[in-house]
Amino acid sequence: MNKIVLDTFIQKYNLGGKINSVKWESNGNTLSTRFISPDKSLLGELTLIKQTLPEFEVGVYDTPLLSKMLGSLADSIDFKLVNIDDNPVAFHLTDSVISADYVLAAIGVIPDVPELKNIPEFTTLVNIDSQFINSFIRGKGALADVDTFAINPVDGGVEFVIGYSDINSNRITIKAQSGAVNMTDSIVFNANLFKELLSVNKECSKATLQISDKGLAHIEFNVDDFNVKYWLVSQQV
């Protein structure tokens, strides 16, 4: 297996260390996970297809540790599952020189990810391209201590305001190309998580952010053998 592919899988849900404990599932050809942020403001689903893996359903509790252990290996690795009494207990990862054993967690200690039900209609569509992704990442980097951003309806479309507040504040505003716009009020989301999900999917040059006036946003990225979907829940400021 290519280590870079596995590390990319990790990055797309770990989001810069924001989400660390998840369940991995493999049917032999597809590796997948569902994940939720500790503050429950982001939920996601990730799949990686066209793989040759053991079949398993396991708990990965400390994702940053697994990522560091992968970093010690060469690009081409052998991925095996260690079982004791038919129970998976570890990933055994090897290259031509180094071997690493990552201890798996019980499924019961992994946070539950709720099923999405009664999803509202998404009536506002925003075009996400490379220019927007780079602009948002740079803007959030300039306002590193700011935790939220707002999507505001404006004449002819929408704008993204990092550091939005009803009072005078440091802020960076980014104009965005939009399709349908059917929102009348500002909606606020987690800026740290949005910046991270853009960062780990910036190789995708085109996506659509769908927004509901009920306070939910959704974006999906398809790159090579990866499909990842994120849902963002609005926040109060």
Side-chain angles (χ1 to χ4, degrees):
M1 183 178 191
N2 190 310
K3 179 190 76 173
I4 296 173
V5 171
L6 190 58
D7 190 58
T8 300
F9 178 85
I10 288 172
Q11 291 179 36
K12 289 183 184 296
Y13 77 78
N14 184 232
L15 299 180
K18 303 292 190 296
I19 300 173
N20 295 324
S21 298
V22 297
K23 181 172 66 175
W24 287 21
E25 296 185 63
S26 168
N27 64 7
N29 300 311
T30 299
L31 180 64
S32 64
T33 186
R34 300 179 69 246
F35 49 95
I36 190 168
S37 64
D39 67 356
K40 297 181 172 54
S41 66
L42 180 143
L43 184 150
E45 298 177 354
L46 169 62
T47 57
L48 169 62
I49 61 172
K50 300 180 183 177
Q51 301 304 302
T52 303
L53 294 167
E55 294 186 17
F56 55 75
E57 180 178 337
V58 299
V60 174
Y61 186 78
D62 190 342
T63 291
L65 176 59
L66 175 57
S67 185
K68 290 177 182 177
M69 294 173 72
L70 277 173
S72 69
L73 301 170
D75 286 349
S76 181
I77 62 173
D78 188 33
F79 185 114
K80 293 182 179 178
L81 192 66
V82 179
N83 289 281
I84 295 179
D85 297 329
D86 294 327
N87 294 314
V89 296
F91 289 148
H92 183 65
L93 311 169
T94 58
D95 61 20
S96 60
V97 177
I98 300 173
S99 67
D101 291 279
Y102 175 80
V103 176
L104 299 168
I107 295 294
V109 304
I110 303 301
D112 289 331
V113 181
E115 295 289 340
L116 284 169
K117 298 179 180 179
N118 302 318
I119 297 176
E121 182 180 2
F122 296 108
T123 56
T124 296
L125 307 178
V126 180
N127 301 321
I128 303 297
D129 57 16
S130 297
Q131 181 178 359
F132 174 88
I133 290 173
N134 291 328
S135 296
F136 193 95
I137 292 171
R138 290 196 304 268
K140 180 62 181 73
L143 295 175
D145 294 332
V146 170
D147 294 327
T148 60
F149 74 97
I151 302 175
N152 298 336
V154 295
D155 291 341
V158 297
E159 63 182 14
F160 288 63
V161 183
I162 304 169
Y164 174 81
S165 176
D166 292 333
I167 61 175
N168 191 30
S169 65
N170 296 317
R171 63 183 67 190
I172 291 176
T173 301
I174 303 167
K175 294 181 180 178
Q177 296 182 345
S178 54
V181 177
N182 288 289
M183 53 186 295
T184 56
D185 298 313
S186 299
I187 305 177
V188 176
F189 297 101
N190 186 309
N192 297 305
L193 290 170
F194 191 66
K195 176 252 185 183
E196 292 297 338
L197 73 83
L198 293 177
S199 296
V200 298
N201 292 285
K202 62 183 179 181
E203 73 274 24
C204 184
S205 59
K206 188 176 182 180
T208 301
L209 180 67
Q210 305 177 69
I211 307 159
S212 165
D213 59 6
K214 304 298 184 183
L216 186 69
H218 170 62
I219 189 167
E220 178 176 353
F221 296 96
N222 288 285
V223 179
D224 298 327
D225 296 330
F226 292 94
N227 171 267
V228 60
K229 303 173 184 177
Y230 303 96
W231 288 267
L232 290 158
V233 180
S234 63
Q235 300 188 320
Q236 299 295 322
V237 295

